Amino acid sequence: VSDLVATALTDTRVVLINGARQVGKSTLVAGICRDQAGEWRNLDRPLEGFVAMELSRRLEWSITRAELFHHRTRDGVEVDLVLERRSGDVIAIDVKASSTVRAEDVSGFATSGSAWGDFVAGYVFYTGQETRSFGDRLRAIPISAIWEAAAP
């Protein structure tokens, strides 16, 4: 399958990998993109995909250059989006389709953050209205904040 996807990417800008959950699609695509210096998006969940696409659009005109990734540990702890600058600085982002956020919703940052030497901050985008703090460098932010950021 890897060879088929790699071949398709030689003349096609976007290739969709679709299939059942938990069968290794993300692992397959991550490996292909790593080998070919490519970029990929996981659109399993619509709100996460929407936020990922909005952040990706903003990265196009951002002064600060960063790559957007998905992160999952071998233990299954997942961070929806990871922004990594060339300097190695990392911002972790989770997306919640909920109007409330609990301390447990930022717990993945602590576990995953230990793998990142330059962890800058962790954010949970959620459907609520208020920015909330969950300790040092951990915040919950309304999804609407994406559009409140000033464009150049």
Side-chain angles (χ1 to χ4, degrees), residues 125-148:
F125 280 97
Y126 76 120
T127 60
Q129 299 299 312
E130 298 177 3
T131 298
R132 299 188 53 211
S133 175
F134 286 92
D136 186 38
R137 302 181 291 169
L138 300 175
R139 302 276 184 276
I141 300 174
I143 291 172
S144 61
I146 294 172
W147 297 278
E148 294 168 3

Side-chain angles (χ1 to χ4, degrees), residues 2-152:
S2 298
D3 292 338
L4 293 172
V5 174
T7 301
L9 285 169
T10 62
D11 65 359
T12 305
R13 188 165 174 223
V14 176
V15 175
L16 173 67
I17 307 293
N18 192 18
R21 291 186 56 78
Q22 303 297 317
V23 296
K25 296 180 305 291
S26 297
T27 303
L28 170 74
V29 173
I32 292 167
C33 289
R34 187 175 34 254
D35 293 344
Q36 297 189 3
E39 180 178 332
W40 67 285
R41 302 283 186 265
N42 182 341
L43 302 178
D44 279 347
R45 294 173 224 148
L47 187 59
E48 289 172 23
F50 177 73
V51 170
M53 293 309 289
E54 286 298 312
L55 292 176
S56 179
R57 285 179 352 123
R58 277 149 179 74
L59 285 173
E60 294 292 321
W61 52 259
S62 175
I63 293 170
T64 302
R65 294 287 166 223
E67 297 293 325
L68 186 62
F69 299 99
H70 173 80
H71 178 78
R72 184 180 312 156
T73 68
R74 292 178 187 202
D75 299 330
V77 176
E78 189 172 6
V79 175
D80 297 329
L81 304 167
V82 176
L83 286 167
E84 184 175 10
R85 289 188 239 175
R86 290 182 183 160
S87 65
D89 291 348
V90 170
I91 295 174
I93 299 169
D94 263 344
V95 180
K96 303 292 178 195
S98 173
S99 60
T100 59
V101 179
R102 303 178 317 251
E104 299 87 51
D105 294 326
V106 298
S107 63
F109 298 148
T111 305
S112 298
S114 62
W116 302 316
D118 298 322
F119 179 77
V120 174
Y123 297 101
V124 174
F125 280 97
Y126 76 120
T127 60
Q129 299 299 312
E130 298 177 3
T131 298
R132 299 188 53 211
S133 175
F134 286 92
D136 186 38
R137 302 181 291 169
L138 300 175
R139 302 276 184 276
I141 300 174
I143 291 172
S144 61
I146 294 172
W147 297 278
E148 294 168 3

